[in-house]
Amino acid sequence: MSLDIQHIKSQFPLFERSINGRSLVYLDTAATSQKPHIVLNAMEEYYRKHNANIHRGIHVLAEEATELYEEARSIVARFIGSAKDSEIVFTRNATESINLIARSWAEDHLRKGDEIILSEMEHHANIVPWQMVAKKTGAVIRYIPLTSDGQLDLVAARDIIGPATKIVSIVHMSNVLGTINDVREIRAMRDLLAPGAIYIVDAAQSIVHEKIDVQDIGCDFLVFSGHKMYGPTGIGVLWGRLDLLETMSPFLGGGDMIRSVDFEYFEPNFVPYKFEAGTPAVAEAIGLAAACEFIEKYDRKVVLEHEMELAHYLIEELKQNEHITIFGPETRGPLVSFTHAKIHAHDLAQILNDEFAVCVRAGHHCAMPLNKKLGISATTRVSLGIYNDQRDVDRVLDGIARAEEIMRV
Amino acid sequence: MDFIYQQQILDHYKNPRHAGELTGVVPVCLENVTCGDKLCMYRQDGQYLFTGSGCAISQAAASMLLEKITQEQLSPEQIRALSVEDMRAVLKIPLSANRLKCGLLALEAVQQLVAKHT
């Protein structure tokens, strides 16, 4: 079965735009994805026909809105293989999800000297909240180092994960290196070496490319954002094991996360509502559910194979250029970051944009510790999505050649 | 749409004027951590020099700014009074909000430099 990319592109209204008279080549899905009609329609339909506040009202609109919102929760639960809808907490994004764990679990459980295990390739979202927790609790962060080709050094990990470990929090797919970490192997390590520790998987990049099954991975928490998987901004997910969520303190306080409020105290609501304070992003949750359905319309293996093929084609072509250094391992997700010895990432990205209508990302990609470790300050990143084809990648290559012309390399 | 990699920008990037260090003088060094543009500015007896690395805009901006300061013999007060618009006029290219940061690093650095010594 092969993909009809033109047909897929046609489902995304943004590709109707042209930039400087050229058709748009969007290669920045790792930063945010484009949105298909089905997602936009679902959100608009909610506002046009079913809009009301949820969980409270008696009237028909409130009922419909509540049903749509809770159905969205159900759809997301199935999307990631969760057996229970109540294990899905809607947040604003993956970053907020991690902050929720940091505040509601870590601050209550960590003591001075306890260890939080991260990796050197983490995104700031999976570093900064832990730095904040460490400061508050006296816990210590330790980093699993990387091998020279940008993979987790699992041998070193075995020395680092140990009896003092209370949290292991690792990214599934790196947004800089494209490295895909063996999340089951890490869970096995946790089971063996730190059975009392919680295990968190950051699926922000992987969720759009790979089928995730939280029961199969065996993690305790999993986080991701809607906007990176063809869904809207403003909605993210924290999946958590029910028994953990039930014992955790609330995160934000206010309406809906309570069962009752008196003048001096409140009784928190049941999970997951305990963690959803205030009126949520109802339309966005509905949009996220539509994005799940959009993704599942396709054979996900075929889509991933296609994206990987494009990534490998790009890598093979880039390897021909003596000025270019590619970061990350041979086996990787559909994402390629590289430097050009003669052209700064910003200049390259600018020329790709100005002359070729190609959208790529240049910078540190919210992974400054990783960049520091690699000795770089900015890379150009090409990240692939379901709507990309070989012509898109060829435009990047044309763009690099043109940039070399302009900068007289 | 105007092309920002005009001859002038590329020329100053490839052949920067006022490039170099002054020994025995403490420079002001600034970095744009989001992209790694770095500039160090030196000043002594009315002479200005810079070293740095980074994108074409940031480096060309340093060269063009120091050339303006030297050719027009701007005083520290005049340098301190230079605005974002003045910098745009020096660069003569349309800059998006993001690239403006690259263009302004040189201005920030030289303004901090004259503030130190005055």
Side-chain angles (χ1 to χ4, degrees):
Chain A
M1 177 203 162
S2 71
L3 297 168
D4 182 351
I5 301 296
Q6 280 311 112
H7 174 69
I8 289 172
K9 268 203 230 263
S10 72
Q11 295 186 56
F12 291 78
L14 202 105
F15 290 110
E16 290 158 29
R17 249 198 93 154
S18 60
I19 312 275
N20 299 334
R22 278 183 206 86
S23 62
L24 174 71
V25 171
Y26 190 76
L27 289 164
D28 199 15
T29 296
T32 201
S33 60
Q34 297 305 334
K35 321 301 171 197
H37 284 294
I38 189 178
V39 167
L40 304 171
N41 291 345
M43 293 172 66
E44 204 179 314
E45 167 106 349
Y46 162 74
Y47 278 125
R48 283 183 189 280
K49 303 232 179 82
H50 309 289
N51 178 59
N53 209 325
I54 59 169
H55 293 151
R56 283 284 164 281
I58 307 289
H59 55 74
V60 62
L61 292 177
E63 265 184 41
E64 286 173 2
T66 303
E67 203 175 302
L68 284 168
Y69 182 71
E70 293 303 332
E71 191 192 20
R73 193 190 304 278
S74 234
I75 289 169
V76 170
R78 280 196 302 277
F79 187 70
I80 59 169
S82 168
K84 304 176 185 112
D85 294 354
S86 53
E87 291 183 329
I88 301 292
V89 175
F90 282 125
T91 60
R92 204 171 48 155
N93 48 36
T95 300
E96 186 172 283
S97 300
I98 295 177
N99 276 275
L100 196 162
I101 305 168
R103 175 88 75 78
S104 296
W105 191 90
E107 280 182 19
D108 285 347
H109 286 85
L110 294 189
R111 296 205 193 348
K112 193 169 156 79
D114 284 344
E115 293 183 351
I116 301 166
I117 310 302
L118 308 175
S119 84
E120 288 180 332
M121 69 171 80
E122 298 305 318
H123 184 285
H124 295 163
N126 198 27
I127 298 178
V128 178
W130 306 118
Q131 291 176 342
M132 291 163 116
V133 163
K135 195 159 181 206
K136 275 199 182 137
T137 62
V140 163
I141 298 175
R142 296 182 66 188
Y143 293 88
I144 299 173
L146 303 185
T147 60
S148 57
D149 73 334
Q151 304 199 64
L152 279 188
D153 185 345
L154 293 179
V155 174
R158 277 182 210 111
D159 279 333
I160 292 173
I161 300 174
T165 303
K166 287 293 180 292
I167 297 174
V168 177
S169 189
I170 303 291
V171 68
H172 190 181
M173 180 175 133
S174 164
N175 71 313
V176 175
L177 303 171
T179 308
I180 301 172
N181 292 318
D182 188 342
V183 286
R184 288 162 198 75
E185 173 67 23
I186 297 165
R187 190 253 303 168
M189 267 193 230
R190 183 282 308 259
D191 289 350
L192 183 68
L193 303 166
I198 60 165
Y199 174 39
I200 304 163
V201 173
D202 172 5
Q205 290 295 329
S206 61
I207 189 90
V208 71
H209 298 298
E210 255 189 56
K211 169 78 184 159
I212 301 280
D213 184 336
V214 290
Q215 297 188 72
D216 178 54
I217 295 173
C219 49
D220 299 305
F221 295 99
L222 185 112
V223 308
F224 60 96
S225 301
H227 73 94
K228 291 198 204 286
M229 52 167 277
Y230 313 120
T233 48
I235 189 89
V237 172
L238 166 66
W239 171 84
R241 259 179 38 209
L242 188 59
D243 60 308
L244 283 170
L245 292 177
E246 275 172 348
T247 60
M248 282 159 60
S249 313
F251 179 43
L252 300 171
D256 237 22
M257 47 70 65
I258 46 93
R259 242 189 292 170
S260 66
V261 186
D262 201 335
F263 287 104
E264 273 86 42
Y265 73 96
F266 71 96
E267 225 188 316
N269 209 339
F270 301 111
V271 171
Y273 310 108
K274 176 165 69 167
F275 300 106
E276 296 181 0
T279 301
V282 179
E284 284 74 8
I286 291 166
L288 175 59
C292 293
E293 290 177 335
F294 170 79
I295 289 172
E296 292 189 318
K297 271 187 353 187
Y298 300 91
D299 183 332
R300 297 195 71 183
K301 279 205 173 70
V302 169
V303 172
L304 181 57
E305 248 165 51
H306 170 79
E307 291 168 344
M308 299 274 234
E309 249 171 56
L310 292 176
H312 278 122
Y313 169 62
L314 175 63
I315 289 171
E316 288 311 305
E317 291 296 314
L318 291 178
K319 275 185 182 166
Q320 310 294 322
N321 188 326
E322 50 165 348
H323 304 294
I324 289 182
T325 304
I326 300 166
F327 296 90
E330 276 298 318
T331 309
R332 54 156 74 217
L335 184 157
V336 185
S337 299
F338 60 94
T339 52
H340 190 295
K342 306 286 184 181
I343 307 176
H344 191 275
H346 270 195
D347 295 323
L348 186 55
Q350 185 85 60
I351 291 166
L352 284 169
N353 175 75
D354 295 353
E355 299 217 357
F356 293 86
V358 168
C359 301
V360 295
R361 183 52 74 109
H364 56 62
H365 315 299
C366 294
M368 286 169 81
L370 174 62
N371 278 249
K372 181 174 178 183
K373 166 80 188 241
L374 296 172
I376 52 182
S377 46
T379 56
T380 305
R381 180 185 71 186
V382 170
S383 54
L384 295 148
I386 195 173
Y387 29 65
N388 293 122
D389 56 22
Q390 185 169 313
R391 268 179 304 183
D392 292 344
V393 177
D394 284 333
R395 277 253 212 121
V396 173
L397 299 168
D398 291 341
I400 293 172
R402 174 72 179 132
E404 289 182 346
E405 231 175 82
I406 292 171
M407 307 298 281
R408 270 171 263 132
V409 164
Chain B
M1 186 192 160
D2 289 306
F3 185 47
I4 74 170
Y5 293 101
Q6 308 278 11
Q7 270 308 105
Q8 196 182 32
I9 297 282
L10 288 174
D11 184 28
H12 278 269
Y13 181 49
K14 295 268 173 179
N15 311 297
R17 297 27 161 184
H18 306 278
E21 296 181 5
L22 287 168
T23 50
V25 168
V26 178
V28 163
C29 290
L30 290 186
E31 188 176 345
N32 184 345
V33 289
T34 56
C35 64
D37 293 337
K38 280 187 185 64
L39 287 172
C40 282
M41 296 271 191
Y42 299 79
R43 176 186 171 226
Q44 188 173 58
D45 302 330
Q47 191 192 10
Y48 293 85
L49 289 181
F50 86 96
T51 58
S53 63
C55 73
I57 305 298
S58 69
Q59 305 305 302
S63 173
M64 292 162 88
L65 179 60
L66 291 189
E67 190 169 64
K68 175 189 171 78
I69 288 172
T70 306
Q71 280 176 357
E72 296 176 27
Q73 295 185 311
L74 296 184
S75 69
E77 290 73 38
Q78 288 174 307
I79 291 170
R80 280 217 295 267
L82 290 173
S83 67
V84 172
E85 288 318 305
D86 290 323
M87 200 60 214
R88 278 190 198 267
V90 164
L91 289 167
K92 291 200 205 39
I93 51 172
L95 281 178
S96 67
N98 270 330
R99 295 314 297 277
L100 190 60
K101 266 194 336 205
C102 306
L104 290 180
L105 191 66
L107 181 63
E108 247 190 87
V110 82
Q111 284 178 334
Q112 278 190 31
L113 186 66
V114 297
K116 258 179 60 167
H117 296 275
T118 320

